[in-house]
Amino acid sequence: EPEVTQTPSHQVTQMGQEVILRCVPISNHLYFYWYRQILGQKVEFLVSFYNNEISEKSEIFDDQFSVERPDGSNFTLKIRSTKLEDSAMYFCASSSGERAPGEQYFGPGTRLTVT
Amino acid sequence: RKEVEQDPGPFNVPEGATVAFNCTYSNSASQSFFWYRQDCRKEPKLLMSVYSSGNEDGRFTAQLNRASQYISLLIRDSKLSDSATYLCVVNGRDSSYKLIFGSGTRLLVRP
């Protein structure tokens, strides 16, 4: 069964450093997403991406965040200058996009710890 | 009012029990509805989409009441493996790809 994969599973970084979280969406999916979940809180939408551009983003997704599809398989989330409050589990998801919002399938997540 | 509201539980039930979860959502423009399950420190996994006419998948039945902005999930014949947090999820508005998650209802199935 096709699945979304994410690397690394755990990333520890110092405040102010840049991090790049990587995802490989399901191969025939056209829509890609990032969500995050702070420990003990609910899952929150960050951004959706289609046809090489952002289609929606939340208030959380400010200038410190960017997304990219650098090749035909990877989808990345970059945080330019990490803050302590960026510590969370980051989930990538994808959907076929046949109908909004589609059934979104999530990767196993990257746990980001900012010290 | 929260965008998606759920009873946090926990619901503690014996194996074989029937358990029901409820959820309300605030945006009447939402058009797509889902139940996901999340195990501790794992990703949300799609359990089922929820359709206007109601739908069933094995032991799981989902219902939607648009007038009341209310979604339900019924689990029959609970198994130990059903222990998880159940997330009620809606999309932000018609044609939006953004999913809005509830905080989840925790289910514990005991032997």
Side-chain angles (χ1 to χ4, degrees):
Chain A
E1 184 179 314
E3 56 184 24
V4 178
T5 59
Q6 291 186 243
T7 53
S9 57
H10 191 188
Q11 173 97 45
V12 182
T13 190
Q14 289 191 325
M15 200 166 50
Q17 295 298 304
E18 174 183 287
V19 294
I20 297 176
L21 311 183
R22 292 184 166 79
C23 167
V24 179
I26 293 171
S27 63
N28 62 344
H29 282 184
L30 301 176
Y31 285 80
F32 315 118
Y33 314 87
W34 285 100
Y35 292 81
R36 79 171 186 190
Q37 186 174 30
I38 295 169
L39 189 62
Q41 298 187 23
K42 62 182 182 179
V43 177
E44 300 175 289
F45 170 83
L46 292 178
V47 66
S48 61
F49 190 86
Y50 169 71
N51 201 23
N52 278 320
E53 58 183 30
I54 290 173
S55 46
E56 282 182 85
K57 61 181 181 178
S58 71
E59 292 168 357
I60 303 167
F61 195 90
D62 61 20
D63 292 346
Q64 291 301 309
F65 291 87
S66 63
V67 290
E68 194 178 33
R69 186 148 163 88
D71 54 44
S73 58
N74 290 285
F75 179 51
T76 62
L77 174 70
K78 183 194 290 187
I79 309 175
R80 264 180 267 286
S81 177
T82 50
K83 306 183 185 71
L84 293 176
E85 55 265 35
D86 293 328
S87 293
M89 183 74 99
Y90 288 80
F91 294 110
C92 175
S94 69
S95 68
S96 63
E98 289 167 358
R99 179 176 170 268
E103 295 184 340
Q104 297 183 17
Y105 296 89
F106 285 70
T110 293
R111 180 166 299 283
L112 177 65
T113 303
V114 182
T115 61
Chain B
R1 184 180 170 185
K2 288 182 185 176
E3 291 180 289
V4 179
E5 198 145 5
Q6 296 182 252
D7 179 345
F11 285 56
N12 192 324
V13 302
E15 262 187 298
T18 295
V19 62
F21 305 135
N22 304 317
C23 160
T24 56
Y25 60 96
S26 62
N27 190 344
S28 59
S30 293
Q31 292 295 319
S32 298
F33 310 92
F34 308 91
W35 284 101
Y36 279 75
R37 69 170 277 168
Q38 186 174 31
D39 294 287
C40 190
R41 294 178 176 261
K42 299 284 191 182
E43 74 274 23
K45 290 194 174 177
L46 179 65
L47 185 63
M48 57 199 302
S49 301
V50 186
Y51 303 116
S52 298
S53 53
N55 49 299
E56 189 173 304
D57 183 359
R59 297 183 292 109
F60 300 86
T61 300
Q63 298 277 352
L64 169 65
N65 184 323
R66 285 186 189 269
S68 304
Q69 294 177 207
Y70 171 95
I71 307 162
S72 66
L73 177 69
L74 184 79
I75 305 175
R76 288 182 298 279
D77 187 23
S78 301
K79 313 287 184 199
L80 295 177
S81 57
D82 293 334
S83 296
T85 298
Y86 289 82
L87 306 175
C88 179
V89 182
V90 308
N91 76 321
R93 53 176 168 75
D94 190 21
S95 302
S96 169
Y97 285 80
K98 167 185 171 181
L99 293 183
I100 300 172
F101 284 75
S103 298
T105 299
R106 193 160 167 231
L107 172 65
L108 301 171
V109 181
R110 62 181 189 269

